[in-house]
C-alpha cells in the first residue's frame, strides 16, 4: 500500500494518471474540494483495486456492483493534514457523495444524461466504502472513448475547489492542441477557447446545489437550462456578487492552474447591457511552457497532448475493441439500446467471448423482470449462468412497418452519399469520429447517419452565409 500511495500522491506529475470520461468531467453538480478529490481517487482505485460485489434484487435476481475502499491515511493525504480528526470532513463528503447525481450535457447535439453515481457510501473503522450504480459503470471502467487523461499528482495538488474544477473541465478540451513547442514563448503557444455563461460557471465549479429544490431540479434537467433562472432560485448562494466570485474562486483557481499544472489559462470577461454586467467568461487555454521547462515530458503518456496523428492523449475516437465485434454486440442487443461504451463493458467482462454474451442475453429474455439489465448481464457473464434452452420469442412491433421504414431510410442515405458536398462530410467524419468504422458504429442506422449529415450540412451552410 505504501508504494501505491507514493504513486498516487507523489509531487512528480509523471507518477500516475487516470482516464476519466468527459461525460463525468463535464457534469454539473455541487461539490467540495475533498469530495471532488475522493471521487478522483476512487476512480483510480476502481481501475487498479476494484472490489466486485454480488447483490440480489427484490425479485431474487443476482447482479454485480463495482466498489472501492479508501483508508484514512489516503484521505489524510487528500486533505494535506497529518493530524487531528477527519471524521466530520469524511462524513460531510460521504453525505454529498451518496446524494450525487451527475448532469452531463452536449448543447450542440441537444443531448443530456443524468447519471446517479453511487448506490451506497459507508464509513467504518477508518475505511470509506463506495459502491457505484450500474448506470454509471459504462462511464467509469475500461474507458476508451471520449476521455481525458489526467495526472493524479496535479489533481491532488490543488488547494482550491475552483482550481480543481476549472482545471479538469478545461483540460478536457486540450485534445485540440498539438505538442508544445518549447521554442515558442507562452504568449506564442497555440490555444483553444472554451466559453461559459457567467451563471453556468457557478454550476460548473460546484457552487450551486442542483438538488436543493424541485424548481431548480426541474430546470436543471431541461435540455437547455436557464442558468440565470437557476441562480435566481438558489436559496443558499455563495459569493453571490460576481466580483466576489471572480476574486475568491475564479482568479485563485487560475493562479493555481498556471503555477503548477500542464495548462495555462487566460480569462476574458464579456460584459453586456447598460450596467456592463459580466455575462460570459471565455477561457483561452494553452499548454504551460513553465511546466515543461521544469523537465516534465510525455514519457509516461501523461503530460503532453498530441494531435490525432501523433498519438492522442485526449481521445474522441472509437475504443480499441474490434469495431466489428462492438457492432455485433450492439446489434444483438438492439432492443435494449445499449451504447458502444456499454457493449465494450460486456465484451471486457466476457474476455472477448461473444458466444458467452449471446447465451447470457438469450437467458435474460427468459426472466420475468430484470431491474438492472447491465448489472444482470455482467453477473450472468461472470458466473457463466446459462441454461440450454430456446430463446423466448419477443415481438417489437410490426415487422412489415419496420421493414418499410428501414428501406426508405436506406434509400435516403444512398441518395445522400451522392450529394456534391459529401466528400467534405467524409473529412468531417475522420476529424469528429476518428475512423469511418467508428462513425458506422456510433451512427448505426441510416436514420442516424442522415441526421448527422443534415446537422453538419446545416452548420456548414450557416457558417458560409
Amino acid at each position: 500500500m505504501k508504494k501505491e500511495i507514493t504513486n498516487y500522491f507523489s509531487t512528480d506529475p509523471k507518477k500516475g494518471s487516470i482516464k476519466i470520461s468527459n461525460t463525468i468531467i463535464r457534469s454539473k453538480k455541487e461539490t467540495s474540494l475533498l469530495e471532488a478529490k475522493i471521487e478522483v481517487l476512487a476512480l483510480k482505485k476502481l481501475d487498479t483495486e476494484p472490489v466486485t460485489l454480488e447483490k440480489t434484487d427484490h425479485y431474487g435476481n443476482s447482479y454485480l456492483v463495482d466498489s472501492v475502499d479508501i483508508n484514512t491515511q489516503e484521505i489524510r493525504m487528500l486533505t494535506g493534514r497529518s493530524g487531528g480528526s477527519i471524521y466530520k470532513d469524511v462524513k460531510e463528503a460521504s453525505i454529498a457523495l451518496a446524494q450525487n447525481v451527475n448532469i452531463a450535457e452536449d448543447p450542440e447535439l441537444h443531448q443530456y444524461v443524468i447519471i446517479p453515481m453511487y448506490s451506497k457510501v459507508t464509513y467504518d473503522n477508518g475505511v470509506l466504502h463506495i459502491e457505484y450504480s450500474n448506470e454509471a459503470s459504462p462511464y467509469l471502467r475500461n474507458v476508451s472513448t471520449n476521455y481525458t487523461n489526467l495526472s493524479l499528482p496535479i489533481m491532488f495538488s490543488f488547494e482550491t475547489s475552483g482550481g480543481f474544477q476549472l482545471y479538469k473541465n478545461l483540460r478536457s478540451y486540450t485534445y485540440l492542441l498539438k505538442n508544445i513547442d518549447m521554442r515558442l514563448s507562452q504568449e506564442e503557444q497555440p490555444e483553444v477557447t472554451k466559453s461559459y455563461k457567467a451563471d453556468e460557471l457557478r454550476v460548473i465549479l460546484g457552487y450551486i446545489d442542483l438538488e436543493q429544490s424541485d424548481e431548480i431540479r426541474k430546470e436543471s434537467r431541461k435540455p437547455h437550462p436557464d442558468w440565470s433562472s437557476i441562480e435566481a432560485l438558489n436559496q443558499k448562494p455563495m459569493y453571490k456578487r460576481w466580483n466576489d466570485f471572480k476574486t475568491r474562486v475564479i482568479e485563485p483557481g487560475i493562479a493555481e492552474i498556471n503555477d503548477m499544472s500542464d495548462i495555462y489559462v487566460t480569462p476574458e470577461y464579456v460584459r453586456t447591457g447598460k450596467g456592463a454586467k459580466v455575462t460570459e467568461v471565455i477561457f483561452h487555454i494553452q499548454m504551460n511552457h513553465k511546466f515543461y521547462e521544469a523537465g516534465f515530458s510525455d514519457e509516461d503518456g501523461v503530460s503532453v497532448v498530441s494531435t490525432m496523428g501523433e498519438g492522442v492523449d485526449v481521445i474522441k475516437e472509437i475504443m480499441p475493441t474490434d469495431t466489428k465485434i462492438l457492432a455485433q454486440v450492439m446489434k444483438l442487443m438492439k432492443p435494449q439500446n445499449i451504447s458502444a461504451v456499454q457493449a465494450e463493458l460486456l465484451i471486457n467482462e466476457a474476455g472477448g467471448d461473444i458466444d458467452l454474451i449471446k447465451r447470457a442475453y438469450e437467458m435474460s429474455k427468459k426472466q420475468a423482470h430484470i431491474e438492472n439489465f447491465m448489472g444482470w448481464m455482467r453477473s450472468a457473464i461472470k458466473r457463466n449462468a446459462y441454461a440450454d434452452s430456446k430463446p423466448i420469442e419477443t415481438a417489437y412491433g410490426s415487422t412489415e412497418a419496420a421493414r418499410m421504414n428501414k428501406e426508405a431510410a436506406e434509400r435516403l442515405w444512398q441518395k445522400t452519399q451522392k450529394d456534391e458536398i459529401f466528400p467534405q462530410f467524409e473529412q468531417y467524419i475522420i476529424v469528429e469520429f476518428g475512423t469511418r468504422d467508428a462513425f458506422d458504429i456510433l451512427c448505426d442506422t441510416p436514420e442516424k447517419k442522415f441526421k448527422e449529415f443534415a446537422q453538419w450540412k446545416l452548420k456548414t451552410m450557416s457558417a458560409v452565409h
Side-chain angles (χ1 to χ4, degrees):
M1 177 61 72
K2 186 174 181 180
K3 181 179 179 182
E4 291 168 353
I5 290 176
T6 300
N7 286 338
Y8 290 156
F9 299 100
S10 167
T11 57
D12 182 350
K14 295 191 296 181
K15 287 291 186 180
S17 63
I18 178 67
K19 295 175 183 178
I20 303 181
S21 165
N22 287 335
T23 302
I24 300 300
I25 287 177
R26 299 170 187 170
S27 63
K28 299 176 176 67
K29 58 184 168 52
E30 183 186 33
T31 185
S32 67
L33 181 58
L34 177 58
E35 179 192 346
K37 286 185 175 181
I38 287 175
E39 285 191 289
V40 171
L41 178 57
L43 286 175
K44 181 62 178 180
K45 294 176 80 69
L46 186 63
D47 185 48
T48 58
E49 308 169 34
V51 178
T52 302
L53 305 175
E54 183 173 354
K55 300 273 186 173
T56 304
D57 64 19
H58 296 302
Y59 299 89
N61 294 313
S62 296
Y63 63 96
L64 302 180
V65 297
D66 295 320
S67 70
V68 297
D69 293 322
I70 302 175
N71 63 44
T72 304
Q73 185 181 5
E74 291 171 313
I75 295 174
R76 285 191 184 281
M77 289 186 175
L78 291 177
T79 64
R81 288 162 48 186
S82 58
S85 174
I86 60 172
Y87 179 79
K88 181 180 178 182
D89 294 335
V90 175
K91 181 180 178 182
E92 290 176 355
S94 298
I95 293 173
L97 286 169
Q99 298 172 342
N100 195 335
V101 175
N102 282 16
I103 302 174
E105 179 189 14
D106 189 333
E108 293 183 0
L109 296 180
H110 303 282
Q111 296 175 349
Y112 68 97
V113 59
I114 301 171
I115 309 167
M117 290 295 294
Y118 308 104
S119 59
K120 186 178 181 181
V121 180
T122 61
Y123 184 75
D124 183 36
N125 198 27
V127 176
L128 179 64
H129 176 74
I130 299 173
E131 295 180 13
Y132 289 92
S133 72
N134 270 287
E135 289 84 352
S137 290
Y139 303 96
L140 304 177
R141 299 197 65 182
N142 304 309
V143 179
S144 303
T145 182
N146 193 26
Y147 70 83
T148 299
N149 196 28
L150 295 171
S151 164
L152 291 174
I154 290 178
M155 298 292 288
F156 294 152
S157 295
F158 282 102
E159 296 180 357
T160 70
S161 181
F164 184 98
Q165 298 294 347
L166 191 59
Y167 171 78
K168 73 183 179 102
N169 273 276
L170 297 183
R171 185 63 172 76
S172 71
Y173 294 97
T174 55
Y175 67 90
L176 298 168
L177 293 174
K178 296 182 178 180
N179 286 334
I180 187 168
D181 188 341
M182 294 302 293
R183 296 170 297 180
L184 302 178
S185 66
Q186 185 63 63
E187 293 74 16
E188 295 171 319
Q189 294 295 329
E191 68 173 42
V192 293
T193 60
K194 174 59 183 175
S195 65
Y196 297 102
K197 297 299 182 183
D199 291 322
E200 179 186 10
L201 192 56
R202 294 179 184 273
V203 181
I204 291 289
L205 299 187
Y207 282 85
I208 295 182
D209 178 8
L210 298 179
E211 301 295 313
Q212 64 182 280
S213 70
D214 290 339
E215 289 178 297
I216 289 180
R217 190 180 298 109
K218 181 178 179 180
E219 182 63 36
S220 69
R221 275 140 171 83
K222 291 180 179 179
H224 300 285
D226 183 340
W227 302 112
S228 297
S229 175
I230 288 176
E231 170 60 18
L233 291 168
N234 188 17
Q235 299 172 5
K236 44 182 183 180
M238 292 182 64
Y239 310 122
K240 187 172 181 61
R241 292 177 62 249
W242 170 256
N243 195 53
D244 290 340
F245 186 67
K246 174 186 172 184
T247 57
R248 298 189 183 189
V249 178
I250 298 177
E251 291 182 344
I254 291 175
E256 269 198 307
I257 290 172
N258 293 345
D259 181 57
M260 57 87 176
S261 87
D262 54 349
I263 64 173
Y264 191 91
V265 177
T266 305
E268 177 185 347
Y269 300 100
V270 180
R271 298 177 180 273
T272 58
K274 295 181 179 179
K277 180 182 177 182
V278 174
T279 56
E280 182 180 7
V281 182
I282 302 173
F283 293 99
H284 299 262
I285 314 163
Q286 302 169 302
M287 301 314 293
N288 195 337
H289 190 283
K290 181 173 68 174
F291 178 86
Y292 298 102
E293 194 173 39
F296 300 120
S297 70
D298 63 344
E299 178 182 342
D300 294 319
V302 175
S303 304
V304 179
V305 178
S306 305
T307 61
M308 290 183 182
E310 297 169 330
V312 181
D313 182 347
V314 183
I315 300 178
K316 203 173 182 179
E317 299 84 53
I318 201 66
M319 58 288 291
T321 301
D322 189 309
T323 53
K324 292 181 180 179
I325 296 177
L326 270 176
Q328 184 180 351
V329 172
M330 292 171 69
K331 183 178 180 181
L332 171 69
M333 285 176 277
K334 189 174 181 180
Q336 295 293 336
N337 195 31
I338 69 170
S339 67
V341 177
Q342 289 173 316
E344 188 189 30
L345 183 67
L346 296 179
I347 292 168
N348 288 331
E349 198 76 70
D353 188 340
I354 304 305
D355 287 336
L356 207 60
I357 297 174
K358 288 180 180 178
R359 293 197 297 272
Y361 181 55
E362 291 304 322
M363 187 176 179
S364 78
K365 293 194 289 186
K366 291 184 173 184
Q367 309 306 307
H369 175 85
I370 294 181
E371 185 173 331
N372 186 318
F373 176 75
M374 284 297 294
W376 189 94
M377 281 292 296
R378 290 181 61 208
S379 179
I381 290 169
K382 190 154 189 158
R383 296 168 59 208
N384 294 326
Y386 324 109
D388 291 328
S389 58
K390 295 181 180 180
I392 295 176
E393 295 295 332
T394 308
Y396 297 108
S398 169
T399 303
E400 181 63 17
R403 183 185 63 79
M404 292 177 64
N405 287 336
K406 181 180 179 181
E407 289 177 353
E410 287 175 344
R411 288 195 298 270
L412 179 59
W413 177 237
Q414 289 173 1
K415 182 179 179 181
T416 298
Q417 294 177 74
K418 298 178 182 178
D419 192 303
E420 62 182 8
I421 67 169
F422 191 81
Q424 298 176 38
F425 177 65
E426 290 183 306
Q427 295 176 8
Y428 160 80
I429 288 174
I430 299 302
V431 173
E432 188 70 13
F433 294 85
T435 66
R436 182 61 186 263
D437 282 343
F439 170 73
D440 289 337
I441 288 174
L442 296 176
C443 300
D444 58 350
T445 64
E447 294 97 323
K448 290 180 182 178
K449 289 181 172 65
F450 177 78
K451 182 179 179 181
E452 185 73 27
F453 172 82
Q455 290 176 342
W456 168 82
K457 186 174 181 180
L458 181 61
K459 287 182 181 179
T460 302
M461 294 299 100
S462 299
V464 172
H465 298 293

